[in-house]
Amino acid sequence: MGTVDNVFLGDIKRIGSTRAARKSWPDTISRTDSTQAKKLLVFTLSREGYNTTKKGLYFEGPLTNRHGNIPHPGYLDFGLTYANPKAGALEFIGLFSVSVSSGEIWETNTCEMFSFPDLRRIQHQIRAKTKISAADESVLRRGLGCTD
């Protein structure tokens, strides 16, 4: 599995939606960092009907264990919570994992993988640069407890 330092997602909302946007994808796509992974997650959740601009909605992460390590090797995990003013408490929305080498996004608790045409286009570009094989990605995915 090839890994490199950084994936530039740029204006993620445009990626894949127009031919010009696809051509503007940089040649230096590499390993996703936490900011870019979060952008990809926000893009995905917005497309899936989540109101990611809602006041009181918080993305936490990337999450680490008490030793400062990521809990799922190869993935960055993010928690999504909502500070509900009516309940006076935080509501847990979900736990999401973003693959640093393929851009796959999973709701970790339910093992739901997000997939739609624009996201698959972005993932294809990330995989082309990181050169991760389907077999390698499958091995990493087992660490989530989710299977194909």
Side-chain angles (χ1 to χ4, degrees):
M1 166 178 65
T3 59
V4 273
D5 297 327
N6 196 18
V7 174
F8 176 73
L9 297 177
D11 184 3
I12 196 78
K13 291 182 181 179
R14 288 186 7 226
I15 299 297
S17 16
T18 67
R19 186 173 302 262
R22 287 193 299 278
K23 286 183 180 178
S24 72
W25 191 269
D27 290 333
T28 57
I29 299 172
S30 56
R31 194 178 186 97
T32 307
D33 71 10
S34 61
T35 300
Q36 294 154 343
K38 182 178 174 183
K39 283 181 183 180
L40 187 57
L41 177 60
V42 169
F43 167 76
T44 299
L45 294 178
S46 295
R47 290 290 184 93
E48 291 294 310
Y50 290 78
N51 181 356
T52 58
T53 60
K54 185 175 187 177
K55 184 178 177 182
L57 195 65
Y58 297 98
F59 287 89
E60 301 170 73
L63 304 174
T64 58
N65 64 21
R66 66 177 185 230
H67 303 292
N69 299 318
I70 58 174
H72 302 109
Y75 287 83
L76 295 174
D77 295 340
F78 296 87
L80 182 59
T81 57
Y82 173 61
N84 187 333
K86 294 179 183 174
L90 285 177
E91 293 178 22
F92 177 75
I93 306 296
L95 177 64
F96 303 93
S97 297
V98 180
S99 169
V100 296
S101 53
S102 71
E104 278 189 1
I105 299 178
W106 291 81
E107 202 302 340
T108 314
N109 291 324
T110 63
C111 284
E112 173 191 357
M113 184 176 76
F114 294 94
S115 182
F116 51 89
D118 285 345
L119 179 59
R120 286 191 301 273
R121 213 171 281 121
I122 293 166
Q123 292 167 338
H124 176 76
Q125 292 175 344
I126 293 170
R127 284 185 181 109
K129 294 297 182 178
T130 61
K131 299 189 183 347
I132 188 167
S133 70
D136 287 340
E137 185 67 31
S138 182
V139 169
L140 288 175
R141 192 178 307 123
R142 283 187 219 136
L144 290 176
C146 301
T147 57
D148 300 344

